[in-house]
């Protein structure tokens, strides 16, 4: 049996459904130039792809049975993910979803303060309101050198990501593209950071991409962040971040409801085996059931790694063979169900004799650990109270080598023991164990090489050499093969030109703030996220409509804003780049003498002490976390310059400066910044080495001064009511003093 259509879509995840809905929208608006299309989904009973919900039944205190949707796969959404957010709001307005289905996880966790970070093998429980300088993921007990290391390197990450052309990454400045020749772990190791800073950064980056740092290109990670509003946005698990909300009704359920208008075009249980695009005619697609489809255009709406499971005839061009051969992450995601939210210790807190028992948010982070990420996933009532419903769960992620070890023998018993023991260690509470009276159940799902249809998760990741260079495989992005086979996926997220709001394909600094603020490009908004899958599906569907010459409306749209479809991979030229930041910034620098380190630390202590003054004085501490961090960065610059370790930064233009003056200053700062990073790392490395060279005591002056500085830093940090997400506000630390230009 042969089915003929104009357009055939392979894959019923967010990308494929979004592409199909865009074609349906075209047909509704242009009945005289309608296209015939079909969507093939391999799964027999669901849509959604990596958005994979399941129903879990539980009983409340009265014995009534309820069912709540939990997620095996993609789960979170933020308001900055505009395409998916608009679909959710549209569904609520149309009554497809209840407004109560959209849960603000940040607000639900607000009543609880304590969280846990496992950093360099040490457990840090702490009140998030007392996090150092308002940086939610930095425990107050973390050492001085680690804190400084994190602040400096996050500033460097921002400098790199803001220089990347997200649409055409190979067109980024040479000092950035050279980072595509090394892994992210090699780049982190080259910085020679103190163990705590290195571990904290690995927690953050590995939680973002759910793979270990040695599996991906350093440039890929920076490109990924640049496409998602920057590293600081990526790691923000609270207000304003991409992990703030989730749907209690299930995400693949939303996909199903949105796909209702095209239900007749969806063919389930169609596992595609072969795509034959030989010759000048149609593309022939054969399924495992020996059903044959012919189409003028085929959209392969799967992850690149999933597309690698298909047989193509002729073979894919070398660039696409390289792209589709990239691996996906290995992830085990669990929901652990308990009788009560014991981690919050609500009953214990009500007992005056147990005052001080922690009330954990349920949030934990760790690296090189059986679980890397923990969140409270308990169903809650509607806003604004978000009251408990009687079902209590913790969500956990295990990734990389830990996940591979766990999946070596993935029995239910082993996974339960593995995960609950890790939770016991993180919360320091035996009630987490499966042997406790609190434990009820654990549901798990693995995204790995053996997963049917989707060989891993959450994303296909790119190794060194894919994104940059004269022969970069990435140059094939957004371009169909022989004008007939199109690839679309969250990993290739691209916005339709008519929908782009950013002025360029790279970060554009605001000259009025001397580059302290700016706009990240939305040309590949939400790369790797459901939102990116939605935009990419629409983008490729519009490409197809234009290439079929069936949609004058789509052709008109393509020319209204940004690059047209025919030149979509060219994009806007990157702004002028800054000075090169060397790969190995300070590893070979000679150590700074102890006397100089002591003098600098004495200055730091004096500045910290002077700033910790009563309200109303001239030295009152700032009340905003970003201000506090900017202040610390300024102090670091001051003491480095005073001790001859750094040349002074360029003088800011006078009040009333114009655009020309601002750009000139930003370029000067870009040239100065590498020296600041190198000097800072040299100071941190030398200070840490002296601090840890001998046991604490009266003979170790560096240790004494660092301890005093750390204590003063904690005191200064808790003067305001600091709060925020994990590393959510680090960027302000360097922006005021270390502006940069493109």
């Amino acid at each position: 049996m042969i089915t003929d259509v104009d357009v055939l879509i392979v894959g019923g995840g967010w990308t494929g459904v979004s592409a199909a809905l865009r074609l349906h929208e075209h047909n509704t608006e242009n009945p005289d130039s309608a296209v015939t299309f079909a969507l093939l989904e391999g799964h027999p009973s669901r849509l959604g792809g990596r958005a994979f919900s399941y129903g879990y039944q539980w009983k409340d205190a009265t014995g009534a049975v309820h069912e709540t949707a939990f997620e095996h796969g993609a789960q979170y959404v933020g308001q900055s993910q505009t395409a998916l957010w608009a679909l959710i709001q549209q569904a609520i307005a149309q009554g497809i979803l209840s407004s109560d289905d959209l849960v603000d996880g940040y607000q639900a966790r607000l009543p609880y303060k304590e969280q846990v970070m496992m950093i360099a093998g040490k457990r840090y429980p702490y009140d998030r309101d007392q996090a150092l300088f308002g940086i939610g993921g930095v425990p107050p007990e973390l050492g001085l050198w680690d804190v400084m290391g994190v602040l400096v390197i996050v500033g460097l990450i921002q400098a790199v990501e803001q220089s990347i052309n997200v649409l055409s990454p190979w067109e980024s400045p040479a000092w950035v593209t050279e980072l595509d020749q090394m892994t992210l772990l090699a780049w982190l190791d080259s910085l020679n950071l103190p163990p705590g800073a290195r571990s904290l950064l690995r927690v953050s980056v590995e939680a973002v991409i759910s793979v270990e740092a040695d599996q991906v290109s350093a440039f890929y990670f920076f490109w990924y962040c640049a496409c998602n509003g920057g590293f600081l946005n990526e790691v923000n698990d609270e207000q304003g971040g991409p992990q703030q909300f989730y749907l209690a009704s299930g995400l693949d359920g939303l996909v199903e409801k949105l796909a209702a208008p095209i239900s007749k075009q969806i063919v389930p249980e169609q596992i595609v085996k072969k795509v034959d695009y030989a010759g000048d005619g149609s593309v022939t697609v054969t399924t495992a059931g020996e059903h044959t489809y012919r189409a003028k255009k085929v959209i392969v709406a799967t992850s690149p790694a999933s597309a690698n499971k298909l047989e193509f005839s002729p073979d894919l061009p070398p660039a696409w063979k390289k792209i589709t051969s990239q691996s996906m992450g290995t992830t085990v995601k669990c929901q652990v169900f308990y009788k009560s939210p014991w981690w919050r210790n609500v009953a214990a807190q009500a007992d005056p004799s147990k005052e001080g028992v922690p009330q954990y948010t349920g949030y934990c982070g760790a690296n090189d650990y059986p679980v890397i990420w923990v969140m409270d996933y308990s169903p809650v009532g509607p806003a604004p109270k978000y009251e408990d419903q009687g079902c209590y769960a913790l969500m956990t992620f295990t990734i990389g080598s830990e996940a591979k070890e766990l999946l070596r023998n993935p029995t239910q018993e082993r996974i339960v023991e593995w995960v609950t023991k890790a939770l016991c260690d993180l919360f320091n509470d035996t009630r987490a164990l499966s042997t406790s009276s609190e434990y009820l159940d654990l549901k798990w799902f693995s995204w790995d090489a053996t997963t049917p249809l989707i060989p891993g998760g959450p994303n296909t990741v790119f190794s060194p050499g894919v994104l940059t260079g004269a022969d970069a495989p990435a140059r094939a992005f957004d371009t169909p093969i022989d004008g007939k086979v199109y690839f679309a996926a969250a990993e290739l997220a691209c916005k339709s030109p008519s929908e782009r709001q950013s002025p360029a394909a790279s970060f554009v600094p605001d000259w009025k703030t001397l580059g302290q603020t700016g706009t990240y490009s939305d040309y590949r908004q939400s790369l790797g996220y459901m939102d990116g899958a939605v935009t990419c599906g629409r983008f490729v569907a519009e490409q197809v409509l234009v290439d079929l010459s069936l949609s004058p409306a789509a052709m008109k749209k393509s020319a209204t804003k940004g690059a047209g479809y025919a030149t979509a991979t060219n994009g806007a030229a990157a702004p002028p780049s800054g000075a090169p930041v060397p790969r190995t910034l300070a590893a070979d620098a000679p150590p700074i003498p102890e006397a100089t380190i002591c003098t600098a630390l004495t200055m730091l202590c004096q500045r910290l002490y002077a700033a910790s003054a009563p309200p109303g004085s001239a030295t009152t501490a700032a009340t905003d976390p970003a201000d506090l961090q900017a202040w610390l960065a300024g102090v670091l610059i001051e003491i480095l310059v005073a001790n001859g370790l750094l040349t002074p930064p360029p003088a800011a233009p006078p009040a009333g400066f114009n655009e020309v003056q601002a750009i000139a200053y930003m370029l000067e700062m870009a040239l100065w910044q590498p020296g600041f990073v190198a000097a800072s790392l040299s100071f941190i490395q030398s200070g840490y080495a002296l601090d840890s060279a001998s046991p604490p005591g009266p003979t170790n002056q560096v240790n004494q001064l660092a301890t005093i500085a750390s204590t003063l830093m904690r005191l200064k940090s808790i003067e305001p009511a600091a709060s925020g997400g994990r590393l959510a506000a680090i960027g302000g630390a360097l922006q005021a003093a270390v502006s940069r230009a493109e």
Side-chain angles (χ1 to χ4, degrees):
M1 179 179 177
I2 299 177
T3 302
D4 288 294
V5 291
D6 292 322
V7 183
L8 186 67
I9 301 169
V10 178
W14 275 110
T15 308
V17 170
S18 297
L21 286 171
R22 179 65 189 94
L23 296 179
H24 173 73
E25 176 186 320
H26 162 80
N27 289 349
T28 302
E29 296 174 350
N30 305 277
D32 294 337
S33 61
V35 296
T36 58
F37 66 92
L39 186 155
L40 307 183
E41 168 54 46
H43 199 278
S45 60
R46 74 174 190 90
L47 298 172
R50 285 168 277 179
F52 184 9
S53 311
Y54 72 95
Y56 183 78
Q57 291 190 341
W58 51 277
K59 295 181 180 180
D60 62 21
T62 68
V65 177
H66 303 267
E67 182 169 293
T68 301
F70 291 89
E71 306 289 353
H72 282 316
Q75 179 171 335
Y76 295 104
V77 61
Q79 289 177 284
S80 62
Q81 297 171 339
T82 54
L84 182 57
W85 187 260
L87 286 176
I88 292 172
Q89 297 304 315
Q90 174 187 333
I92 292 173
Q94 294 175 348
I96 295 174
L97 289 178
S98 164
S99 60
D100 295 341
D101 288 336
L102 185 61
V103 178
D104 185 336
Y106 166 71
Q107 292 293 334
R109 295 192 302 271
L110 268 184
Y112 314 104
K113 301 295 183 182
E114 295 286 320
Q115 55 193 38
V116 178
M117 294 294 290
M118 187 72 74
I119 301 173
K122 182 178 179 181
R123 178 177 179 271
Y124 291 89
Y126 62 101
D127 184 330
R128 67 181 175 199
D129 286 352
Q130 296 186 10
L132 282 181
F133 287 85
I135 306 169
V138 181
E141 299 299 325
L142 194 66
L144 171 70
W145 308 110
D146 292 316
V147 175
M148 286 190 170
V150 169
L151 289 171
V152 171
I153 297 310
V154 169
L156 176 57
I157 290 174
Q158 289 180 306
V160 174
E161 69 189 15
Q162 291 176 3
S163 296
I164 290 176
N165 182 318
V166 299
L167 190 65
S168 306
W170 56 89
E171 293 183 358
S172 303
W175 69 271
V176 177
T177 58
E178 72 172 7
L179 297 173
D180 199 30
Q181 304 307 310
M182 63 197 312
T183 68
L184 181 59
L185 182 61
W187 181 79
L188 283 172
D189 285 345
S190 75
L191 303 174
N192 198 22
L193 293 168
R198 181 180 182 275
S199 178
L200 186 56
L201 285 167
R202 284 196 62 183
V203 172
S204 300
V205 302
E206 291 173 0
V208 165
I209 54 178
S210 290
V211 297
E212 292 181 342
D214 62 349
Q215 296 178 264
V216 298
S217 155
F219 181 89
Y220 162 76
F221 175 73
F222 300 131
W223 176 64
Y224 188 95
C225 290
C227 294
N228 287 289
F231 176 68
L232 300 178
N233 179 63
E234 283 279 274
V235 299
N236 179 13
D237 290 331
E238 300 193 5
Q239 190 164 24
Q243 286 82 235
Q244 182 175 349
F245 297 88
Y246 63 89
L247 282 182
S249 55
L251 279 160
D252 62 5
L254 176 61
V255 178
E256 297 273 359
K257 292 173 181 176
L258 292 175
I262 55 171
S263 59
K264 292 182 180 180
Q265 282 82 25
I266 298 173
V267 189
E269 208 167 0
Q270 296 293 303
I271 299 176
V272 172
K273 289 297 185 183
K274 184 175 181 179
V275 178
D276 186 340
Y277 64 99
D280 298 328
S282 300
V283 182
T284 302
V285 173
T286 307
T287 70
E290 300 303 321
H291 193 110
T292 300
Y293 294 83
R294 283 193 306 232
K296 298 173 184 177
K297 310 287 184 182
V298 170
I299 300 174
V300 181
T302 71
S303 70
S306 294
N308 196 43
K309 289 176 169 281
L310 308 180
E311 177 187 350
F312 289 89
S313 179
D315 283 346
L316 291 176
W320 278 111
K321 288 187 74 172
K322 182 72 172 179
I323 294 167
T324 59
S325 68
Q326 299 299 296
S327 63
M328 298 190 82
T330 300
T331 306
V332 178
K333 183 176 181 181
C334 302
Q335 290 84 37
V336 192
F337 297 92
Y338 293 97
K339 293 179 182 178
S340 70
W342 52 263
W343 53 93
R344 302 178 196 162
N345 282 301
V346 176
Q349 284 286 355
D351 183 349
S353 67
K354 296 183 178 180
E355 184 179 356
V357 175
Q359 286 190 296
Y360 289 110
T361 68
Y363 182 92
C364 303
N367 81 287
D368 292 330
Y369 201 70
V371 297
I372 189 174
W373 189 27
V374 182
M375 292 275 271
D376 191 329
Y377 196 6
S378 304
V380 294
K385 293 185 177 181
Y386 290 112
E387 294 173 328
D388 290 342
Q389 299 298 289
C391 179
Y392 303 102
L394 292 172
M395 179 274 292
T396 73
F397 267 92
T398 299
I399 70 159
S401 60
E402 297 281 353
K404 291 175 183 177
E405 172 60 25
L406 178 56
L407 293 172
R408 189 174 53 81
N409 178 27
T411 65
Q412 177 74 13
E413 293 75 18
R414 184 164 184 256
I415 292 174
V416 168
E417 180 182 8
W418 175 290
V419 172
T420 60
K421 186 178 184 303
L423 291 173
C424 175
D425 292 341
L426 286 168
F427 289 105
N428 192 29
D429 197 319
T430 57
R431 289 177 294 177
L433 295 172
S434 61
T435 53
S436 82
S437 59
E438 290 288 342
Y439 175 81
L440 289 175
D441 195 8
L442 181 147
K443 299 294 183 182
W444 66 278
F445 190 84
S446 67
W447 297 89
D448 60 73
T450 66
T451 310
L453 303 179
I454 304 169
N459 291 308
T460 304
V461 295
F462 296 151
S463 58
V466 173
L467 293 170
T468 66
D471 299 320
R475 291 175 181 266
F477 288 174
D478 316 323
T479 305
I481 300 172
D482 287 357
K484 294 186 289 186
V485 179
Y486 300 71
F487 289 90
E491 293 92 332
L492 309 173
C494 192
K495 257 190 175 182
S496 298
S498 61
E499 296 178 351
R500 296 170 186 166
Q501 298 298 313
S502 301
S506 301
F507 177 86
V508 177
D510 184 351
W511 68 266
K512 294 179 181 179
T513 64
L514 299 177
Q516 295 177 35
T517 60
T519 303
Y520 280 91
S521 175
D522 70 346
Y523 284 18
R524 292 194 188 275
Q525 177 178 300
S526 303
L527 187 95
Y529 284 80
M530 292 180 285
D531 183 64
V534 172
T535 58
C536 195
R538 292 175 179 170
F539 169 79
V540 172
E542 290 194 8
Q543 269 190 313
V544 167
L545 290 170
V546 171
D547 292 347
L548 285 171
S549 300
L550 292 175
S551 176
M555 295 175 70
K556 182 178 180 181
K557 285 182 180 179
S558 72
T560 58
K561 189 161 190 174
Y565 286 103
T567 57
T569 56
N570 294 328
S577 64
V581 176
R583 291 185 188 177
T584 308
L585 288 158
D588 300 324
I592 298 173
E594 182 174 359
T596 304
I597 295 292
C598 288
T599 301
L601 286 176
T602 300
M603 287 184 62
L604 176 61
C605 291
Q606 290 171 341
R607 296 288 279 110
L608 284 165
Y609 180 79
S612 298
S617 74
T619 54
T620 298
T623 58
D624 181 79
D627 292 339
L628 287 167
Q629 295 151 36
W631 176 87
L632 178 60
V635 170
L636 178 59
I637 292 169
E638 178 186 334
I639 63 178
L640 291 175
V641 170
N643 286 277
L645 304 174
L646 176 67
T647 58
F657 58 83
N658 57 34
E659 184 175 359
V660 173
Q661 291 173 305
I663 291 175
Y665 167 75
M666 288 189 287
L667 288 172
E668 289 178 354
M669 288 296 290
L671 293 170
W672 174 84
Q673 186 187 38
F676 165 70
V677 175
S680 299
L681 288 178
S682 181
F683 174 67
I684 292 165
Q685 292 160 7
S686 299
Y688 175 76
L690 290 167
D691 191 349
S692 57
S694 59
T699 61
N700 190 336
Q701 188 177 6
V702 172
N703 175 267
Q704 288 183 315
L705 289 168
T707 301
I708 295 170
S710 296
T711 302
L712 290 169
M713 194 177 295
R714 289 197 292 274
L715 290 173
K716 181 174 175 60
S717 296
I718 62 175
E719 284 181 332
S723 63
R726 175 167 51 110
L727 296 174
I730 287 182
L734 293 178
Q735 288 176 346
V738 192
S739 302
R740 57 167 306 281
E742 304 297 340

